[in-house]
């Protein structure tokens, strides 16, 4: 039940710190060691390449997960949109492992891929919020997201839960392979849970940003480099699906290869800058759009911030920033939709789970 909340989406945004702590508990044993099914560990170890299959927001979580698995566990990863994979299958490696990311576990596009790759005899792991779901039952292994029921059509807490569980999967695989980890993941996730709490307490500030930047616009751009680019795709999807503002996520360096033509006086450009190695270059991209009249909002991270940044995120580990940088984008989308009198929880033309191909 949504209790005192006006919308499920707002409630689910607020639940993210609780979900983070739940995930830490569920995936940790009494000695504070990562706890994962031995079968899943072996399947990950045996794979020479991981194929992540998903749709929409789950696909965006997969893009972040690819970085974890490649950087921590040293296994190459491809992330595919389910509806494309079925009809245009890439050449597969010798020992692929398929990972299906699906909040509902019922997405028909993903199921079509699962059926096909099972016919081919390949192993499959489903990461889902609904363990009894079709994708869970039909795969060899299941990892539970532990996000609790997600009712709002726009996915929020399932996105961060997917990213956290993907990080756990990557870290567990790294340990199983005897690789050194750059951090104590569970400690970092606890820091993130606290940071999420700080962010959910800053709703008024973010509502004001929604007024300042998004109230009178027909379109908006989200830009970022490296992992901020992955999050900018999700920020754009959140905004368009509930507020109907046309929004696109772009790699900071790619805008000038065509799309910058769309920048006019007052066009909102929301730039994420949470990564030290691209902080300088993304700010250069912001200057390019500001020179053409854009109304730029920079969301940066403590330690990388500059004076006129619109919003500064609490500092978390560089690899895990999507878990916090997405929150202000979710909250921005929520208020942009609310200010336009949109039906936040049930946007037009959309269903919570898409069971047709
Ligand atoms: C966006 C959204 C959708 C879903 C997509 C996949 O907010 O909710 O893009 O992410 O339909 O759904 P699942 O994860 O249930 O397979």
């Amino acid at each position: 039940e949504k209790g005192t909340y006006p919308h499920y989406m707002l409630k689910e945004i607020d639940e993210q710190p609780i979900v983070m702590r739940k995930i830490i508990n569920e995936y940790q044993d009494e000695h504070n060691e990562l706890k994962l099914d031995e079968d899943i560990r072996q399947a990950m170890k045996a794979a020479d390449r991981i194929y992540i299959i998903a749709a929409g927001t789950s696909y965006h979580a997969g893009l972040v997960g690819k970085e974890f698995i490649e950087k921590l566990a040293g296994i190459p990863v491809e992330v595919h949109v389910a509806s494309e994979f079925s009809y245009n299958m890439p050449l597969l490696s010798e020992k692929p492992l398929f990972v299906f990311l699906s909040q509902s576990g019922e997405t028909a596009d993903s199921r079509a891929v699962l059926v096909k790759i099972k016919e081919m005899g390949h192993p499959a792991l489903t990461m889902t919020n609904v363990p009894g779901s079709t994708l869970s039952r039909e795969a060899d292994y299941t990892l539970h997201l532990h996000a609790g029921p997600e009712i709002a059509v726009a996915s929020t807490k399932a996105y961060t839960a997917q990213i956290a569980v993907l990080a756990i999967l990557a870290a567990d695989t790294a340990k199983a392979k005897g690789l050194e980890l750059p951090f104590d993941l569970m400690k970092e996730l606890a820091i993130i849970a606290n940071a999420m709490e700080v962010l959910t307490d800053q709703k008024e500030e973010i509502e004001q940003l929604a007024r300042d930047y998004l109230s009178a616009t027909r379109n908006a751009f989200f830009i970022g480099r490296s992992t901020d680019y992955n999050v900018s795709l999700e920020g754009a999807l959140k905004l368009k699906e509930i507020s109907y503002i046309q929004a696109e996520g772009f790699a900071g360096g790619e805008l000038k290869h065509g799309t910058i033509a769309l920048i006019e006086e007052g066009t909102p450009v929301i730039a994420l800058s949470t990564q030290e190695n691209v902080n300088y270059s993304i700010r250069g991209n912001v200057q390019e759009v500001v020179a053409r009249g854009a109304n730029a909002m920079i969301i940066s991270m403590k330690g990388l911030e500059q004076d006129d940044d619109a919003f500064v995120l609490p500092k978390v580990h560089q690899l895990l920033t999507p878990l916090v940088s997405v929150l202000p984008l979710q909250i921005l989308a929520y208020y942009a939709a609310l200010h336009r009198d949109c039906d936040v929880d049930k946007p037009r033309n959309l269903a919570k789970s898409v069971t047709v191909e």
Side-chain angles (χ1 to χ4, degrees), residues 81-89 108-110 112-114 116 357:
V81 166
S83 59
E84 280 298 304
F85 191 92
S86 294
Y87 303 102
N88 195 2
M89 201 181 282
D109 289 323
S110 298
V113 178
L114 176 57
K116 207 167 252 179
E357 274 181 62

Side-chain angles (χ1 to χ4, degrees), residues 266-280:
T267 305
V269 175
I270 297 158
L272 286 177
S273 184
T274 72
Q275 300 295 305
E276 200 169 350
N277 62 335
V278 291
N279 189 30
Y280 180 78

Side-chain angles (χ1 to χ4, degrees), residues 46-119:
D48 64 356
R49 186 172 289 252
I50 311 280
Y51 294 82
I52 296 181
I53 309 293
T57 288
S58 296
Y59 171 74
H60 294 157
L63 296 174
V64 178
K66 168 186 164 79
E67 292 194 36
F68 299 158
I69 296 170
E70 292 193 336
K71 288 179 179 153
L72 300 177
I75 307 172
V77 180
E78 293 180 21
V79 193
H80 291 274
V81 166
S83 59
E84 280 298 304
F85 191 92
S86 294
Y87 303 102
N88 195 2
M89 201 181 282
L91 275 178
L92 299 182
S93 65
E94 255 168 58
K95 288 190 242 154
L97 171 65
F98 282 81
V99 175
F100 292 85
L101 283 184
S102 177
Q103 189 283 131
S104 63
E106 302 296 343
T107 298
D109 289 323
S110 298
R111 171 144 195 269
V113 178
L114 176 57
V115 168
K116 207 167 252 179
I117 64 104
K118 288 316 293 175
E119 276 168 15

Side-chain angles (χ1 to χ4, degrees), residues 53-60 101-108 110 127-128 135 145 150 152-156 158 162 234 237-238 241-242 350-354:
I53 309 293
T57 288
S58 296
Y59 171 74
H60 294 157
L101 283 184
S102 177
Q103 189 283 131
S104 63
E106 302 296 343
T107 298
S110 298
M127 293 175 59
T128 181
L135 285 172
L145 299 177
E150 193 181 62
V153 165
S155 183
T156 53
Q162 280 173 332
E234 175 59 9
L237 178 59
K238 280 296 85 85
E241 70 177 322
I242 61 169
L350 293 172
K352 182 63 183 164
S353 64
V354 184

